[in-house]
Coordinates of all heavy atoms in Angstrom, one line a residue:
V1 N 63.1 33.5 -69.4 CA 63.1 34.2 -70.7 C 62.3 33.6 -71.8 O 62.3 34.0 -73.0 CB 64.6 34.3 -71.2 CG1 65.5 35.1 -70.3 CG2 65.2 32.9 -71.4
Y2 N 61.5 32.5 -71.4 CA 60.7 31.8 -72.4 C 59.7 32.7 -73.1 O 59.7 32.7 -74.3 CB 60.0 30.7 -71.7 CG 59.1 29.8 -72.6 CD1 59.6 28.8 -73.3 CD2 57.7 30.1 -72.7 CE1 58.8 28.0 -74.2 CE2 56.9 29.3 -73.5 CZ 57.5 28.3 -74.3 OH 56.6 27.6 -75.1
D3 N 59.0 33.5 -72.4 CA 58.0 34.4 -73.0 C 58.7 35.4 -73.9 O 58.1 35.8 -74.9 CB 57.1 35.1 -72.0 CG 56.1 34.1 -71.4 OD1 55.8 33.1 -72.0 OD2 55.5 34.4 -70.3
T4 N 59.9 35.9 -73.6 CA 60.6 36.8 -74.4 C 60.9 36.3 -75.8 O 60.6 36.9 -76.8 CB 61.9 37.3 -73.7 OG1 61.6 37.9 -72.4 CG2 62.7 38.2 -74.6
F5 N 61.4 35.1 -75.8 CA 61.8 34.5 -77.0 C 60.6 33.8 -77.8 O 60.8 33.5 -79.0 CB 62.9 33.4 -76.8 CG 64.2 34.0 -76.4 CD1 64.9 33.6 -75.2 CD2 64.8 35.0 -77.1 CE1 66.0 34.2 -74.8 CE2 66.0 35.6 -76.8 CZ 66.6 35.2 -75.6
M6 N 59.5 33.7 -77.1 CA 58.3 33.2 -77.8 C 57.3 34.3 -78.2 O 56.1 34.0 -78.5 CB 57.6 32.1 -76.9 CG 58.4 30.8 -76.8 SD 58.4 29.8 -78.3 CE 56.7 29.2 -78.3
D7 N 57.7 35.5 -78.1 CA 56.8 36.6 -78.4 C 56.3 36.7 -79.8 O 55.3 37.4 -80.1 CB 57.4 38.0 -78.0 CG 58.7 38.3 -78.7 OD1 59.1 37.5 -79.6 OD2 59.3 39.4 -78.5
N8 N 56.9 35.9 -80.7 CA 56.4 35.9 -82.1 C 55.5 34.6 -82.4 O 55.1 34.4 -83.5 CB 57.5 35.9 -83.1 CG 58.5 34.7 -82.9 OD1 58.4 34.0 -81.9 ND2 59.4 34.6 -83.9
A9 N 55.3 33.8 -81.3 CA 54.5 32.6 -81.5 C 53.0 33.0 -81.7 O 52.5 33.9 -81.0 CB 54.6 31.7 -80.3
P10 N 52.3 32.4 -82.6 CA 50.9 32.8 -82.8 C 49.9 32.2 -81.8 O 49.0 31.5 -82.1 CB 50.7 32.2 -84.2 CG 51.5 31.0 -84.3 CD 52.7 31.3 -83.5
Y11 N 50.1 32.6 -80.6 CA 49.2 32.1 -79.5 C 47.8 32.4 -79.7 O 46.9 31.5 -79.5 CB 49.6 32.7 -78.1 CG 50.9 32.1 -77.6 CD1 52.0 33.0 -77.4 CD2 51.1 30.8 -77.2 CE1 53.2 32.5 -76.8 CE2 52.2 30.3 -76.7 CZ 53.3 31.1 -76.5 OH 54.5 30.6 -76.0
A12 N 47.5 33.6 -80.2 CA 46.1 34.0 -80.4 C 45.4 33.1 -81.5 O 44.3 32.7 -81.4 CB 45.9 35.5 -80.8
K13 N 46.2 32.8 -82.5 CA 45.7 32.0 -83.6 C 45.5 30.5 -83.1 O 44.5 29.9 -83.4 CB 46.8 31.9 -84.8 CG 46.4 31.0 -85.9 CD 47.5 31.1 -87.0 CE 47.1 30.1 -88.2 NZ 48.2 30.2 -89.2
W14 N 46.4 30.0 -82.3 CA 46.2 28.7 -81.7 C 45.0 28.6 -80.8 O 44.2 27.7 -80.9 CB 47.4 28.3 -80.9 CG 48.7 28.2 -81.7 CD1 48.8 28.0 -83.0 CD2 50.0 28.2 -81.1 NE1 50.1 27.9 -83.4 CE2 50.9 28.0 -82.3 CE3 50.6 28.3 -79.9 CZ2 52.3 27.9 -82.1 CZ3 52.0 28.2 -79.7 CH2 52.8 28.1 -80.8
A15 N 44.8 29.7 -80.0 CA 43.6 29.7 -79.1 C 42.3 29.8 -79.9 O 41.3 29.2 -79.5 CB 43.8 30.8 -78.1
D16 N 42.4 30.6 -81.0 CA 41.2 30.7 -81.8 C 40.8 29.4 -82.4 O 39.6 29.0 -82.5 CB 41.4 31.7 -82.9 CG 41.4 33.2 -82.4 OD1 40.9 33.4 -81.3 OD2 41.8 34.1 -83.1
F17 N 41.8 28.6 -82.9 CA 41.5 27.3 -83.5 C 41.0 26.4 -82.4 O 40.0 25.7 -82.7 CB 42.8 26.7 -84.0 CG 42.7 25.2 -84.4 CD1 42.0 24.9 -85.5 CD2 43.2 24.3 -83.5 CE1 41.8 23.5 -85.8 CE2 43.0 22.9 -83.8 CZ 42.3 22.5 -85.0
L18 N 41.6 26.3 -81.3 CA 41.1 25.4 -80.2 C 39.7 25.8 -79.8 O 38.8 24.9 -79.7 CB 42.0 25.5 -79.0 CG 43.5 25.0 -79.2 CD1 44.3 25.3 -78.0 CD2 43.5 23.5 -79.5
A19 N 39.4 27.0 -79.5 CA 38.1 27.5 -79.1 C 37.1 27.2 -80.2 O 35.9 26.8 -80.0 CB 38.1 28.9 -78.7
G20 N 37.5 27.5 -81.5 CA 36.5 27.3 -82.6 C 36.2 25.8 -82.7 O 35.0 25.5 -83.0
R21 N 37.2 25.0 -82.6 CA 36.9 23.5 -82.7 C 36.1 23.0 -81.5 O 35.1 22.2 -81.7 CB 38.2 22.8 -82.8 CG 38.1 21.3 -83.1 CD 37.5 21.1 -84.5 NE 37.1 19.8 -84.8 CZ 37.3 19.1 -85.9 NH1 37.9 19.7 -86.9 NH2 36.8 17.9 -86.1
L22 N 36.4 23.5 -80.3 CA 35.6 23.1 -79.2 C 34.1 23.5 -79.4 O 33.2 22.7 -79.1 CB 36.1 23.7 -77.9 CG 37.5 23.2 -77.4 CD1 38.0 24.1 -76.2 CD2 37.4 21.8 -77.0
K23 N 33.9 24.7 -79.8 CA 32.5 25.2 -80.0 C 31.8 24.4 -81.1 O 30.6 24.2 -81.1 CB 32.5 26.7 -80.3 CG 32.9 27.5 -79.0 CD 33.0 29.0 -79.3 CE 33.4 29.7 -78.0 NZ 33.6 31.2 -78.3
K24 N 32.6 24.1 -82.2 CA 32.0 23.3 -83.3 C 31.5 22.0 -82.8 O 30.5 21.4 -83.3 CB 33.0 23.1 -84.3 CG 32.6 22.3 -85.5 CD 33.7 22.1 -86.6 CE 33.2 21.3 -87.7 NZ 34.3 21.1 -88.7
E25 N 32.2 21.4 -81.7 CA 31.8 20.2 -81.2 C 30.8 20.3 -80.0 O 30.5 19.4 -79.3 CB 33.0 19.4 -80.7 CG 34.1 19.1 -81.8 CD 33.6 18.2 -82.8 OE1 32.6 17.4 -82.5 OE2 34.1 18.2 -83.9
G26 N 30.3 21.5 -79.8 CA 29.3 21.8 -78.8 C 29.8 22.1 -77.4 O 29.1 22.1 -76.4
I27 N 31.1 22.3 -77.3 CA 31.7 22.6 -76.0 C 32.0 24.1 -75.9 O 33.0 24.6 -76.4 CB 33.0 21.8 -75.8 CG1 32.8 20.3 -75.9 CG2 33.7 22.1 -74.4 CD1 34.0 19.4 -75.9
R28 N 31.0 24.8 -75.4 CA 31.1 26.3 -75.4 C 31.5 26.8 -74.0 O 31.8 28.0 -73.9 CB 29.8 26.9 -75.8 CG 29.4 26.5 -77.2 CD 28.1 27.1 -77.6 NE 27.8 26.8 -79.0 CZ 28.2 27.5 -80.0 NH1 29.0 28.6 -79.8 NH2 27.9 27.2 -81.3
D29 N 31.6 26.0 -73.0 CA 32.0 26.4 -71.7 C 32.3 25.2 -70.9 O 32.5 24.1 -71.4 CB 30.9 27.2 -71.0 CG 29.5 26.4 -70.9 OD1 29.6 25.2 -71.1 OD2 28.5 27.1 -70.8
G30 N 32.6 25.3 -69.6 CA 32.9 24.2 -68.7 C 34.4 24.0 -68.5 O 35.2 24.8 -69.0
L31 N 34.7 23.0 -67.8 CA 36.1 22.7 -67.5 C 36.9 22.2 -68.7 O 36.5 21.3 -69.4 CB 36.2 21.7 -66.3 CG 36.0 22.2 -64.9 CD1 35.9 21.0 -64.0 CD2 37.1 23.1 -64.5
V32 N 38.1 22.8 -68.9 CA 39.0 22.4 -69.9 C 40.4 22.3 -69.3 O 40.8 23.2 -68.6 CB 39.0 23.4 -71.1 CG1 40.1 23.0 -72.1 CG2 37.7 23.4 -71.8
L33 N 41.1 21.3 -69.6 CA 42.5 21.1 -69.1 C 43.5 21.4 -70.2 O 43.4 20.9 -71.3 CB 42.7 19.6 -68.7 CG 44.1 19.2 -68.4 CD1 44.7 19.9 -67.2 CD2 44.2 17.7 -68.2
D34 N 44.5 22.3 -69.8 CA 45.6 22.6 -70.7 C 46.8 21.8 -70.2 O 47.4 22.1 -69.2 CB 45.9 24.1 -70.7 CG 46.9 24.5 -71.7 OD1 47.5 23.6 -72.4 OD2 47.3 25.7 -71.8
L35 N 47.1 20.7 -70.9 CA 48.2 19.8 -70.5 C 49.5 20.3 -71.1 O 49.7 20.5 -72.3 CB 47.8 18.4 -71.0 CG 48.5 17.2 -70.4 CD1 48.2 17.1 -68.9 CD2 48.0 15.9 -71.0
G36 N 50.5 20.5 -70.2 CA 51.8 21.1 -70.6 C 51.6 22.5 -70.9 O 52.0 23.1 -71.9
C37 N 51.0 23.2 -69.9 CA 50.5 24.6 -70.1 C 51.7 25.6 -70.1 O 51.5 26.8 -70.6 CB 49.5 25.0 -69.1 SG 50.2 25.1 -67.4
G38 N 52.9 25.3 -69.7 CA 54.0 26.2 -69.7 C 53.7 27.5 -68.8 O 53.2 27.4 -67.7

């Protein structure tokens, strides 16, 4: 039921921040580890 109760979590906003920061640091592709990915 985790995804049901987390349906209001701003996942897209979090992913946008992470990707934006990665790209700002020159990491536009390649291997990325999601630790504690749920």
Side-chain angles (χ1 to χ4, degrees):
V1 295
Y2 180 82
D3 282 341
T4 298
F5 291 125
M6 288 290 287
D7 60 1
N8 61 346
Y11 286 118
K13 179 180 177 181
W14 294 342
D16 286 345
F17 168 77
L18 294 172
R21 188 67 192 219
L22 290 173
K23 291 175 180 177
K24 180 181 178 181
E25 301 293 338
I27 303 174
R28 298 182 175 275
D29 54 21
L31 280 172
V32 173
L33 169 64
D34 186 0
L35 199 57
C37 66

